[in-house]
Amino acid sequence: MAQQRLGIIMNGVTGRMGMNQHLIRSILAIRAQGGVALKNGDRVMPDPILVGRNEAKLAHLAKAHGLTRWTSNLNAALKNREDTLFFDAATTKLRAQLLRKAIAAGKDIYCEKPIAETLEDAVDVARAAKAAGVRHGVVQDKLFLPGLLKLKMLIDSGFFGRILAVRGEFGYWVFEGDWQPAQRPSWNYRKKDGGGIILDMLCHWRYVLDNLFGEVKSVSCKADVDDAAYATFQLADGVVAHINSSWCTRVRRDDLVTLHVDGTLGSAVAGLQKCWSQARVNTPRPVWNPDVPQPIKFFETWSEVPGDNYDNGFKAEWEIFIRHLYEGAPFKWTLTEGAKGVQLAEAGLRSWKERRWIDIPELEV
């Protein structure tokens, strides 16, 4: 058994998502377990160099986690031939520019979404990677959440029969920062800095809907100053999906995100970790009577879908991508899939502006 080194240029890891999910819970966790195991018995050990603008933050982060490599000079990092993978989790506004630079340097690419602010830039980046012959992937983390993995199991088993509709609720109240500290970065709300919930969340809903329920064919989206978006999607095979995304709502549901799926033979509700189901034969028979308190305790009529031992979703996808790099294992979540997310977000923004349905054509890259 041999150990192989993977040098990773990790840009934007002083931010919340880059630091917590990608550096600490993914790359450092993979290092702690002894690397990623390959089919031939070899193990791949990630060796990150932390890149960002603030040298003090980089030095502190590296020291806190026993790392020795960090720099504020991205151009110098890209020149190091021993670091073959470029990862970006910094601001959306600069992502397309940085990806092009890394592709020109011959680096393989793995990055957060959205991969660009506009569809034109997203397609251009995907084409550049294809022309350069580099491998590339985009974070599609929600597909690897335990709740959605359990939901996928129900779908694959035929539990739902014919799926009729999907209803999603995402969000929570983000504090303004006056009497409670804000729990999201302020740039999320500034359009000039690449913010806005449509660009942020419709990229997520594209890969969730495409991979679980059917390809998105059209969208109707309304928004309220782009910190709350209410989108309806027409999917392949006639499925209708509606997802509310909001940073100005107060939670009264099972989790910060829930997907409620109705089918001819059963229904299910999935959150981040858990999933509940109700089969046709177990469905209660309520009778409408507004004059008496509801006698059925509806939450108690659902059964939890079993399952445990799920790894962190970000880490799980990192491992799949690393195996793709070293042994050619399949990896479908490429920059083209990332461009599809930007395509849907752009269509959502257009739908909001024009107050109408927007069709989603096949994307050619």
Side-chain angles (χ1 to χ4, degrees), residues 61-280:
L61 184 62
K63 183 178 180 181
H65 297 285
L67 300 174
T68 58
R69 301 201 307 146
W70 58 269
T71 182
S72 60
N73 190 335
L74 175 60
N75 290 331
L78 289 172
K79 290 179 181 178
N80 185 352
R81 294 184 178 181
E82 295 183 356
D83 293 330
T84 58
L85 177 62
F86 175 77
F87 170 75
D88 182 60
T91 174
T92 302
K93 193 171 186 65
L94 298 178
R95 183 156 297 134
Q97 173 186 335
L98 294 177
L99 294 182
R100 289 189 191 100
K101 182 179 289 189
I103 291 167
K107 307 301 182 185
D108 294 322
I109 300 295
Y110 190 58
C111 68
E112 265 292 351
K113 72 231 144 280
I115 67 169
E117 284 191 289
T118 68
L119 178 59
E120 181 181 3
D121 273 342
V123 170
D124 180 71
V125 167
R127 287 174 177 168
K130 184 178 180 180
V134 300
R135 280 85 54 89
H136 46 93
V138 177
V139 178
Q140 313 270 253
D141 53 286
K142 287 181 173 52
L143 294 177
F144 303 92
L145 291 170
L148 268 65
L149 290 172
K150 295 170 186 177
L151 184 61
K152 180 69 162 56
M153 178 185 68
L154 292 177
I155 294 170
D156 292 344
S157 72
F159 169 82
F160 293 103
R162 181 167 66 91
I163 293 178
L164 303 172
V166 180
R167 184 174 72 255
E169 292 284 346
F170 163 83
Y172 45 92
W173 186 269
V174 175
F175 284 91
E176 298 91 329
D178 49 359
W179 64 281
Q180 286 272 25
Q183 69 269 49
R184 288 191 72 90
S186 60
W187 70 263
N188 284 169
Y189 306 96
R190 294 193 296 270
K191 184 178 181 180
K192 67 177 183 178
D193 293 326
I197 201 167
I198 293 178
L199 180 60
D200 187 355
M201 295 312 303
L202 263 64
C203 289
H204 284 283
W205 305 143
R206 178 67 190 265
Y207 69 76
V208 169
L209 294 172
D210 276 2
N211 284 273
L212 293 181
F213 307 110
E215 187 177 359
V216 178
K217 296 297 185 182
S218 59
V219 61
S220 172
C221 183
K222 297 179 181 180
D224 178 13
V225 295
D226 208 5
D227 60 3
Y230 314 99
T232 303
F233 310 90
Q234 291 182 342
L235 311 183
D237 300 324
V239 178
V240 175
H242 180 84
I243 303 179
N244 294 330
S245 307
S246 178
W247 292 323
C248 53
T249 185
R250 294 173 175 87
V251 178
R252 194 177 189 272
R253 55 184 184 272
D254 293 311
D255 214 330
L256 297 185
V257 60
T258 57
L259 287 175
H260 183 123
V261 184
D262 289 318
T264 54
L265 300 182
S267 297
V269 178
L272 296 172
Q273 295 286 329
K274 296 185 177 182
C275 182
W276 293 264
S277 66
Q278 186 177 93
R280 180 183 183 186

Side-chain angles (χ1 to χ4, degrees), residues 254 276 296-303:
D254 293 311
W276 293 264
I296 301 175
K297 297 180 179 180
F298 289 108
F299 280 90
E300 297 179 3
T301 66
W302 294 71
S303 300

Side-chain angles (χ1 to χ4, degrees), residues 6 8 26-27 30 33 35-39 44 46 85 109-110 135-145 149 211 311-334:
L6 172 60
I8 309 175
S26 294
I27 295 304
I30 290 171
Q33 73 184 20
V36 175
L38 303 179
K39 289 180 179 179
V44 179
L85 177 62
I109 300 295
Y110 190 58
R135 280 85 54 89
H136 46 93
V138 177
V139 178
Q140 313 270 253
D141 53 286
K142 287 181 173 52
L143 294 177
F144 303 92
L145 291 170
L149 290 172
N211 284 273
D311 209 342
N312 175 279
F314 290 85
K315 176 174 175 280
E317 192 181 2
W318 264 103
E319 291 181 328
I320 294 171
F321 184 68
I322 290 172
R323 291 189 181 99
H324 169 68
L325 294 179
Y326 281 82
E327 57 188 20
F331 191 87
K332 65 177 291 187
W333 304 288
T334 61

